[in-house]
């Protein structure tokens, strides 16, 4: 690839225009369109050539925005002084093998005028392109060159606007800067400009400033020093320094200035930024005065302390209490001024400095110290960094704990046996005091968590192990409960990983807590593996069950995409079907809200028509973590970008052509999309989709068989029409039968009523009334059947309302005492289910009326019947006193409850649950049967 001789300068000039990658502009688009119209070509471009590419500022007839410079025509145009014309690109050795010529673009003619600036640099080109060889008349060449000059004029206007904007930005930054700023002439020190902050801070008006020199705002005694300083510093582009300035009111202020050399019009000028440090200087003086006070106070403190230099450990100061405690004479300390002389072990000093360097302070560090006479004693040390006489220093304070340490030594000997036992146990053991501070840990604790006991001498162990405040409080609550059970927690180890652990606690009488824990990472990993395997197996069972239960392919595909998206946690799952021309269509989709919906969108995808995706025909599957690094074709990447895809899993759906021909046919693809970011897939996720495609293939073939069967059914339906007339007569007969059954049940109910009037025993009367209510519930079924338009179905809402009303009347319940509420979905039941439901409602409402509201208590009984998928959920609820806690309602002598249990489990083949919260709630769920069974 050839480059202009002035390539580096050309690129620098191009960048000054700041036009690369800017949005389209109408002026440039009109010029490009005019070039295409004048020369009658399908393509016209205004392009700019940078180091790597030819970028199109305006494009007519193409959709791409740039091409690599290695194949661009513009890289040759900028080498020319005049128009470059290539009548037939295939006859020019420079372009005969160019991809823009040999690919689908077929660029056969090119005419380009270089866009040359007034300084002689070629930035790009105005070009026209045709798909057939041709010549360009001289008249059109002249017109194209004139248009190119017009493009240059617009580019120059664009550049001038950038320069004007930059100048306005400088003026705004200068004038509105909160620090005083001014510009002065280096030759005569005359002020050229000042900002508003300088006018306010110094008290001079802007007009007064412009009549002054920089020497006028300095005290007279500082002017010679300033002039000498300028003479030495003029060779530098910028410099800084601290000076004294004089305000208009005569006040002398301390300032720090930063000076930069700038071009200001025709002047050789300097820009000065000023910061007032008067207050800072005052604080420094105050600090010097405070040092004298420090000497007096430190000598009166009754605690030994020293101040030592960080760099070499030199003792800069020791108070009298220190000299007395360590038995040092002032002369001895002058001759032995290092920290080494007071520590029993040099390693103690190293440990202290290491901890101090890590945390910045140390509290309550126990160590052994050495006196001047060679004796040793135990003390607590507290260390803190500070600045002393402008040097980095360490303040060390000591507390004598020698007596306490002797007592602790005896206790340690007594506890050594227990320590050895705890160290040998393969469990983490820790001791925490009532304030949550770590007192002791065993070796297993340190090995598993990676922390050392010493790490928590000055830090909260729970804060380190459980950084999240809310989760840490949950752990604290568990510890304080001190229950003898195990709890699982996510514990953060030293390297930042979260470890699965299990803990139990033992509370001691002094408020301390012994924590016993173990690493359960492997157990959790096994549990997660089993859970994932169970979820996959459940998904496979669910899809297989749907295939068995439904012949509707669309329902199966919709359910499958939803289940896969939930299990894999992806943003979109689609089923992509090919037609005979290998044009794809999204036939099923489950997508997370917020992402583009592809179902129903017209997709123009020619990738597969041009031979892409051959491996899918052979049954290959793909896991793509990053679509831009997977070697995909441009058309494939463009399609994925249209739907915001960053990564995906793709598995082909293959169908057997026939049992005699084992070869497979590519029906479509099952695809999982990750749109929120790139993603590394697991092997088992790809295998899961592969297994699902087998089930989907079964569903597709099953659906095809079903469609064939539909044709046969149409013929059968014609025969069924003839049977309907016969069924009408049968329905009339059945209605008569139901009518007579209802009348007979009514007679039995009346006989029971007459019988109860001759009896005196209340219990017997009660039994007869309950039997009468059960007969009434069955009688209502037959009444509804012979009055219903559908002889095999029962109107549930009407039936339950009538049944409940008859029960209230039977028990002589006043509506103002016990209210009855119903919430019934519109649904029908067959005879067997209706009778069973009626008897269940009869028993449970009777129980509520008899037992739930004693002593004329006011209450509510509600009945709800709802469709839940393919099931029916029936709920009978009351807000009465509830069933006794010790009552096992499934095993009781009560005929009613036993009847309820048998009806639900055997007749309805459903489930029943009891809730005792604020009353009594029976929830019954069973499968709806639409045919009479």
């Amino acid at each position: 690839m050839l480059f202009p001789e002035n390539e580096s300068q050309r690129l620098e000039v191009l960048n000054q225009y700041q036009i690369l990658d800017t949005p389209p502009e109408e002026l440039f688009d009109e010029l490009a369109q005019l070039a295409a119209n004048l020369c009658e070509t399908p393509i016209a471009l205004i392009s700019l050539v940078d180091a790597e590419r030819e970028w199109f500022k305006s494009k007519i007839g193409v959709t791409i925005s740039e091409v690599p410079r290695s194949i661009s025509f513009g890289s040759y145009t900028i080498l020319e002084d005049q128009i470059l014309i290539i009548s037939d690109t295939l006859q020019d050795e420079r372009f005969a093998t160019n991809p823009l010529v040999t690919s689908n673009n077929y660029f056969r003619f090119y005419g380009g005028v270089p866009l040359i600036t007034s300084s002689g640099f070629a930035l790009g080109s105005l070009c026209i392109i045709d798909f057939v060889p041709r010549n360009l008349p001289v008249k059109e060449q002249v017109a194209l060159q004139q248009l190119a000059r017009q493009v240059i004029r617009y580019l120059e206007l664009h550049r001038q606007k950038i320069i004007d904007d930059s100048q306005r930005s400088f003026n705004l930054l200068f004038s509105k800067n909160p620090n005083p700023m001014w510009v002065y002439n280096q030759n005569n020190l005359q002020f050229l400009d000042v900002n508003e902050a300088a006018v306010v801070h110094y008290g001079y008006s802007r007009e007064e400033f412009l009549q002054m020199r920089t020497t006028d705002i300095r005290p007279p005694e500082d002017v010679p020093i300033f002039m000498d300083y300028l003479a030495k510093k003029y060779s530098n582009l910028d410099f800084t320094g601290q000076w004294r300035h004089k305000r208009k009111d005569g006040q002398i202020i301390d300032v720090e200035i930063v000076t930069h050399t700038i071009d200001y019009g025709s002047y050789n000028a300097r820009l000065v930024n000023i910061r007032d440090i008067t207050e800072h200087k005052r604080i420094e003086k105050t600090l010097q005065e405070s040092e004298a006070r420090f000497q007096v106070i430190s000598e009166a403190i009754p605690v030994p302390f020293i101040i030592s230099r960080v760099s070499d450990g030199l003792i800069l100061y020791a108070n009298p209490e220190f000299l007395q405690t360590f038995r040092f004479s002032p002369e001895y300390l002058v001759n032995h001024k290092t920290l080494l002389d007071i520590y029993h072990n040099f390693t103690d000093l190293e440990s202290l400095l290491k901890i101090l360097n890590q945390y910045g302070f140390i509290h309550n560090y126990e160590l052994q110290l050495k006196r001047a006479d060679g004796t040793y004693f135990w003390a607590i040390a507290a260390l803190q960094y500070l600045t002393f006489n402008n040097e980095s220093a360490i303040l060390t304070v000591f507390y004598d704990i020698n007596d306490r340490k002797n007592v602790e030594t005896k206790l340690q000997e007594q506890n050594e046996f227990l320590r050895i036992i705890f160290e040998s146990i393969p469990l983490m053991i820790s001791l925490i005091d009532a304030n949550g501070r770590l007192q002791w840990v065993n070796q297993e604790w340190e090995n598993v968590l990676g922390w050392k006991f010493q790490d928590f001498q000055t830090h909260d162990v729970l804060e380190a192990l459980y950084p999240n405040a809310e989760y840490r409080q949950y752990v604290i609550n568990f510890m304080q409960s001190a229950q003898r059970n195990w709890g699982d927690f996510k514990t953060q180890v030293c390297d930042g990983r979260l470890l699965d652990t299990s803990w139990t606690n033992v509370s001691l009488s002094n408020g301390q807590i012994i924590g016993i824990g173990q690493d359960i990472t492997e157990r959790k990993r096994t549990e997660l593996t089993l859970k994932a395997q169970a979820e996959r197996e459940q998904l496979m069972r669910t899809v297989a069950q749907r295939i068995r239960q439904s012949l509707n392919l669309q329902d199966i595909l919709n359910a499958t995409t939803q289940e896969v998206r939930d299990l894999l946690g992806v943003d979109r799952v689609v089923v992509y079907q090919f037609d005979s021309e290998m044009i794809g269509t999204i036939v099923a989709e489950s997508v997370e809200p917020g992402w583009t919906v592809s179902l129903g969108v017209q997709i123009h995808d020619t990738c597969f028509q041009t031979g892409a995706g051959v491996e899918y025909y052979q049954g290959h599957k793909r896991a793509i973590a990053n679509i831009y690094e997977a070697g995909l074709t441009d058309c494939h990447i463009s399609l994925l970008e249209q739907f915001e895809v960053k990564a995906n899993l793709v598995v082909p759906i293959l169908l057997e052509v026939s049992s005699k021909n084992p070869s497979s046919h590519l029906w479509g693809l099952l695809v999982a999309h990750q749109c929120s970011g790139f993603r590394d897939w697991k092997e088992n996720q790809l295998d899961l989709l592969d297994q699902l495609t087998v089930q989907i293939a079964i569903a597709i073939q099953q659906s095809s068989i079903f469609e064939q069967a539909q044709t046969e059914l149409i013929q059968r339906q014609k025969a069924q029409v003839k049977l309907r007339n016969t069924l009408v007569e049968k329905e009339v007969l059945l209605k008569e039968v139901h009518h007579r059954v209802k009348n007979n049940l009514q007679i039995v109910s009346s006989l029971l009523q007459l019988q109860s009037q001759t009896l005196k025993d209340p219990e017997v009367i009660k039994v007869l009334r309950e039997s009468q209510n059960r007969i009434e519930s069955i009688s209502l079924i037959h009444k509804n059947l012979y009055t219903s338009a559908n002889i095999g179905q029962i109107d549930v809402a009407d039936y339950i309302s009538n049944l409940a009303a008859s029960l209230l009347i039977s028990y002589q319940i006043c509506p103002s005492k016990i209210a009855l509420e119903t919430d019934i979905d519109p649904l029908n039941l067959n005879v067997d289910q209706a009778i069973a439901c009626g008897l269940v409602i009869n028993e449970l409402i009777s129980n509520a009326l008899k037992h739930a509201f004693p002593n004329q208590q006011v209450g509510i009984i509600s009945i709800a019947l709802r469709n839940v998928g393919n099931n029916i959920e029936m709920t009978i609820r009351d807000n009465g006193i509830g069933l006794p806690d010790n009552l096992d309602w499934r095993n009781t002598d009560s005929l009613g409850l036993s009847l309820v249990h048998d009806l639900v489990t055997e007749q309805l083949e459903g489930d029943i649950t009891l809730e005792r919260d604020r009353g009594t709630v029976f929830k019954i769920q069973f499968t709806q049967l639409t045919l009479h069974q």
Side-chain angles (χ1 to χ4, degrees):
M1 183 170 59
L2 299 177
F3 294 92
E5 294 180 355
N6 58 357
E7 176 64 3
S8 59
Q9 295 92 333
R10 187 190 72 83
L11 292 175
E12 183 178 352
V13 171
L14 175 61
N15 290 330
Q16 292 174 0
Y17 283 79
Q18 297 183 22
I19 196 168
L20 289 172
D21 299 313
T22 57
E25 295 181 47
E26 186 177 1
L27 288 173
F28 292 96
D29 289 343
E30 289 176 353
L31 289 174
Q33 186 63 62
L34 184 57
N37 293 342
L38 287 173
C39 300
E40 298 181 350
T41 59
I43 297 175
L45 304 171
I46 298 176
S47 69
L48 300 167
V49 180
D50 67 9
E52 302 293 339
R53 57 178 177 157
E54 181 179 17
W55 175 75
F56 305 138
K57 173 61 180 174
S58 181
K59 52 185 183 292
I60 303 298
V62 296
T63 58
I64 58 175
S65 298
E66 60 184 47
V67 295
R69 185 171 178 178
S70 60
I71 65 170
S72 71
F73 285 67
S75 61
Y76 290 89
T77 307
I78 63 175
L79 299 174
E80 305 293 334
D81 294 327
Q82 299 296 325
I83 188 170
L84 172 64
I85 297 175
I86 304 158
S87 299
D88 188 350
T89 56
L90 287 178
Q91 301 302 318
D92 192 319
E93 63 180 6
R94 295 174 296 176
F95 304 101
T97 59
N98 190 299
L100 297 176
V101 176
T102 59
S103 68
N104 293 340
N105 296 309
Y106 300 113
F107 290 173
R108 293 294 301 276
F109 167 80
Y110 175 86
V113 180
L115 300 176
I116 301 176
T117 67
S118 58
S119 55
F121 295 96
L123 305 182
S125 68
L126 169 64
C127 67
I128 54 174
I129 298 172
D130 206 339
F131 300 119
V132 295
R134 57 176 291 183
N135 293 316
L136 190 66
V138 174
K139 181 179 181 181
E140 294 180 2
Q141 293 181 31
V142 172
L144 197 62
Q145 291 173 322
Q146 291 174 342
L147 288 176
R149 289 193 289 272
Q150 190 65 29
V151 172
I152 284 293
R153 292 190 186 97
Y154 284 143
L155 288 175
E156 294 297 337
L157 290 174
H158 179 84
R159 183 186 184 191
Q160 187 59 44
K161 181 177 181 298
I162 292 173
I163 294 173
D164 294 341
D165 291 344
S166 176
Q167 184 62 42
R168 284 195 294 272
S169 298
F170 170 80
N171 293 337
L172 179 63
L173 178 63
F174 176 82
S175 63
K176 300 302 181 182
N177 197 299
N179 288 339
M181 299 181 72
W182 56 55
V183 179
Y184 71 89
N185 188 337
Q186 291 194 73
N187 298 327
N188 59 10
L189 305 185
Q190 186 79 28
F191 286 109
L192 299 176
D193 200 359
V194 296
N195 70 348
E196 296 176 6
V199 171
V200 173
H201 203 73
Y202 285 80
Y204 297 100
S205 68
R206 188 174 187 276
E207 291 71 22
E208 290 175 326
F209 261 116
L210 298 181
Q211 299 299 319
M212 298 166 60
R213 301 172 64 202
T214 59
T215 53
D216 295 334
I217 52 89
R218 286 174 167 77
E221 60 270 27
D222 290 352
V223 172
I225 302 173
F226 173 67
M227 297 300 295
D228 182 63
Y229 182 83
L230 287 180
K232 295 178 181 179
K233 294 294 183 179
Y234 267 152
S235 59
N236 297 337
L237 292 177
D238 58 80
F239 53 85
T240 62
Q242 292 185 4
W243 297 92
R244 295 192 306 159
H245 284 179
K246 182 177 67 175
R247 295 172 29 152
K248 185 177 181 179
D249 60 5
Q251 180 185 356
I252 303 299
I253 61 174
D254 294 292
V255 297
E256 184 179 72
I257 66 170
V258 179
T259 305
H260 303 275
T261 299
I262 64 171
D263 292 326
Y264 192 85
S266 61
Y267 297 100
N268 182 20
R270 284 190 179 271
L271 171 68
V272 182
N273 187 358
I274 302 106
R275 185 169 68 91
D276 191 338
I277 59 171
T278 305
E279 181 64 16
H280 176 71
K281 288 287 188 180
R282 185 190 65 78
I283 293 173
E284 283 185 350
K285 182 179 179 181
T286 303
L287 288 176
Q288 292 174 355
E289 295 173 352
S290 68
E291 288 181 2
R293 292 195 296 271
F294 164 78
Q295 184 72 24
V296 176
I297 295 171
S298 63
E299 292 180 356
I301 295 176
V303 176
F305 72 86
I306 57 173
I307 298 175
S308 58
R309 192 158 58 195
V310 171
S311 60
D312 56 7
L314 182 69
I315 297 176
L316 303 176
Y317 177 81
N319 71 340
E321 188 69 21
F322 175 86
L323 298 176
Q324 179 180 349
T325 300
F326 284 83
R327 303 171 187 173
F328 289 153
S329 65
E331 295 78 13
Y332 181 87
L333 195 62
V334 169
N335 297 324
H336 303 79
K337 279 193 170 183
T338 62
L339 292 173
L340 296 176
D341 296 316
I342 66 173
Y343 288 95
H344 175 55
N345 292 318
F346 177 69
T347 55
D348 289 336
L349 177 58
E350 288 182 329
S351 299
L352 277 171
L353 294 177
K354 183 178 179 181
I355 297 173
L356 180 64
N357 185 56
Q358 182 177 359
Y359 298 106
F361 63 90
I362 298 176
H363 296 315
N364 300 328
Y365 190 95
E366 296 184 5
L367 73 167
Q368 205 168 19
L369 301 175
K370 181 173 63 175
R371 301 187 183 94
D373 58 7
T375 59
Y376 298 99
F377 70 99
W378 283 94
I380 292 177
L383 288 81
Q384 176 72 51
Y385 281 119
L386 52 76
T387 301
F388 185 78
N389 293 335
N390 294 324
E391 291 186 292
S392 296
I394 300 173
L395 170 65
T396 308
V397 182
F398 301 101
Y399 301 91
D400 189 340
I401 59 168
N402 205 51
D403 293 339
R404 193 197 79 186
K405 201 66 180 177
N406 291 334
V407 174
E408 290 179 352
T409 301
K410 294 180 181 179
L411 290 175
Q412 286 179 347
E413 293 173 354
Q414 295 173 359
N415 293 331
E416 183 65 18
F417 178 70
L418 291 177
R419 187 192 65 79
I420 294 174
I421 293 177
F422 286 154
E423 290 290 353
S424 303
I425 295 176
L427 293 172
M428 293 182 288
I429 302 176
S430 61
L431 180 64
I432 300 177
D433 66 16
N435 296 321
R437 298 187 64 83
L438 191 65
Q439 301 296 302
W440 177 86
V441 297
N442 68 345
Q443 187 64 43
E444 183 71 9
W445 189 96
E446 292 184 339
N447 293 340
V448 173
L449 300 182
W451 299 97
K452 297 298 181 183
F453 174 70
Q454 290 79 8
D455 297 338
F456 300 104
Q457 297 299 306
T458 57
H459 283 70
D460 186 346
V461 61
L462 295 179
E463 184 176 349
L465 298 180
Y466 307 101
N468 181 274
E470 183 177 353
Y471 192 76
R472 183 165 63 253
Q473 187 59 48
Y474 167 70
V475 175
I476 292 172
N477 295 339
F478 177 81
M479 292 172 56
Q480 292 176 345
S481 67
Q483 298 179 357
R484 297 294 182 91
N485 57 342
W486 291 83
D488 294 348
F489 301 95
K490 290 285 188 180
T491 304
Q492 181 167 298
V493 298
C494 185
D495 61 8
R497 292 181 296 108
L498 287 179
L499 192 70
D500 287 303
T501 59
S502 184
W503 294 87
T504 187
N505 302 301
V506 178
S507 179
L508 303 181
S509 58
N510 61 358
Q512 293 181 320
I513 296 175
I514 297 176
I516 303 173
Q518 57 183 326
D519 180 2
I520 60 170
T521 303
E522 191 59 37
R523 191 193 81 189
K524 285 288 187 181
R525 186 180 295 113
T526 303
E527 290 177 354
L528 290 175
T529 301
L530 293 175
K531 181 181 178 182
Q533 181 178 351
E535 289 176 344
R536 291 194 299 270
E537 292 175 353
Q538 178 60 38
L539 176 59
M540 298 302 295
R541 286 195 297 269
T542 301
V543 174
Q545 184 178 7
R546 288 186 180 275
I547 293 174
R548 291 194 299 270
Q549 291 178 346
S550 174
L551 295 175
N552 189 316
L553 178 60
Q554 191 62 51
D555 291 345
I556 294 171
L557 296 180
N558 291 343
T560 300
T561 55
Q562 180 65 43
E563 295 285 351
V564 172
R565 185 170 70 83
D566 292 342
L567 181 59
L568 298 184
V570 294
D571 300 317
R572 183 191 296 111
V573 176
V574 300
V575 176
Y576 193 65
Q577 182 183 4
F578 297 112
D579 62 11
S580 58
E581 302 297 328
M582 293 311 296
I583 297 177
T585 304
I586 303 295
V587 296
E589 177 184 40
S590 175
V591 60
E592 183 77 15
W595 299 109
T596 301
V597 177
S598 60
L599 185 65
V601 177
Q602 187 68 32
I603 301 174
H604 299 284
D605 177 18
T606 60
C607 293
F608 286 95
Q609 290 178 305
T610 58
V614 175
E615 65 273 14
Y616 296 137
Y617 292 86
Q618 302 169 354
H620 294 172
K621 50 194 177 183
R622 297 189 70 175
I624 299 174
N626 184 340
I627 65 170
Y628 301 107
E629 299 177 357
L632 303 179
T633 62
D634 291 341
C635 67
H636 195 172
I637 292 176
S638 176
L639 175 63
L640 295 176
E641 287 178 339
Q642 180 182 350
F643 298 101
E644 305 143 321
V645 179
K646 300 291 191 305
N648 65 6
L649 294 174
V650 185
V651 178
I653 302 173
L654 300 173
L655 302 181
E656 289 187 3
V657 176
S658 67
S659 59
K660 297 180 180 179
N661 185 1
S663 61
S664 299
H665 160 64
L666 180 61
W667 182 88
L669 303 174
L670 176 60
V671 188
H673 287 160
Q674 190 70 24
C675 302
S676 56
F678 305 124
R679 176 170 176 174
D680 292 324
W681 304 99
K682 298 178 181 178
E683 184 65 27
N684 59 6
Q685 293 173 331
L686 193 60
D687 292 338
L688 171 64
L689 293 191
D690 194 22
Q691 296 172 27
L692 280 175
T693 57
V694 176
Q695 299 293 333
I696 294 174
I698 295 173
I700 294 169
Q701 291 171 332
Q702 179 178 285
S703 176
S704 176
I705 295 172
F706 175 69
E707 291 177 357
Q708 295 174 5
Q710 287 289 84
T711 304
E712 298 178 3
L713 286 176
I714 293 174
Q715 297 176 354
R716 295 183 183 181
Q717 287 171 355
K718 294 178 180 179
Q720 289 176 353
V721 171
K722 297 178 181 180
L723 295 175
R724 287 198 183 102
N725 295 330
T726 305
L727 289 175
V728 170
E729 298 178 0
K730 180 181 178 181
E731 286 188 6
V732 173
L733 180 60
L734 284 174
K735 286 187 177 183
E736 179 62 23
V737 171
H738 285 298
H739 178 66
R740 296 193 180 188
V741 171
K742 178 258 182 185
N743 288 341
N744 291 334
L745 289 173
Q746 286 286 59
I747 293 172
V748 174
S749 176
S750 299
L751 290 174
L752 291 175
Q753 178 66 26
L754 292 173
Q755 184 66 41
S756 65
Q757 294 175 2
T758 64
L759 300 173
K760 303 297 184 180
D761 189 343
E763 288 299 321
V764 177
I765 295 174
K766 174 180 160 185
V767 170
L768 289 178
R769 185 172 62 184
E770 291 176 352
S771 298
Q772 186 180 0
N773 288 338
R774 293 178 183 125
I775 293 172
E776 287 289 343
S777 69
I778 300 173
S779 175
L780 277 174
I781 295 291
H782 292 283
K783 178 182 177 182
N784 284 358
L785 282 174
Y786 75 76
T787 59
S788 172
N790 188 344
I791 191 67
Q793 302 291 330
I794 302 297
D795 185 348
V796 177
D798 181 59
Y799 170 62
I800 291 178
S801 298
N802 291 336
L803 175 60
S806 66
L807 284 172
L808 291 177
I809 295 172
S810 174
Y811 284 94
Q812 300 178 355
I813 301 299
C814 179
S816 62
K817 292 295 183 180
I818 299 177
L820 182 64
E821 298 178 350
T822 59
D823 184 7
I824 312 298
D825 281 356
L827 52 87
N828 292 314
L829 297 176
N830 66 17
V831 178
D832 294 342
Q833 287 184 325
I835 292 175
C837 288
L839 289 173
V840 169
I841 293 171
N842 177 81
E843 297 302 327
L844 294 181
I845 292 181
S846 296
N847 276 350
L849 294 175
K850 290 188 293 181
H851 305 296
F853 308 104
N855 302 320
Q856 301 298 314
Q857 181 178 332
V858 177
I860 299 174
I861 299 174
S862 63
I863 306 171
L865 202 65
R866 297 185 177 280
N867 273 316
V868 182
N870 294 327
N871 295 332
I872 294 177
E873 184 178 89
M874 182 168 63
T875 304
I876 295 100
R877 179 192 310 268
D878 68 72
N879 61 350
I881 61 175
L883 294 176
D885 292 337
N886 59 353
L887 175 64
D888 183 2
W889 68 274
R890 287 185 173 87
N891 299 296
T892 178
D893 296 334
S894 170
L895 174 61
L897 291 177
S898 297
L899 183 60
V900 169
H901 181 266
D902 293 342
L903 286 169
V904 172
T905 58
E906 296 181 11
Q907 294 295 323
L908 296 176
E909 296 183 0
D911 297 319
I912 181 169
T913 57
L914 170 64
E915 297 178 6
R916 305 173 188 262
D917 185 20
R918 295 190 296 273
T920 303
V921 181
F922 283 91
K923 287 188 176 180
I924 299 164
Q925 194 172 65
F926 58 91
T927 303
Q928 182 178 15
L929 302 176
T930 57
L931 298 176
H932 181 75
Q933 295 185 356

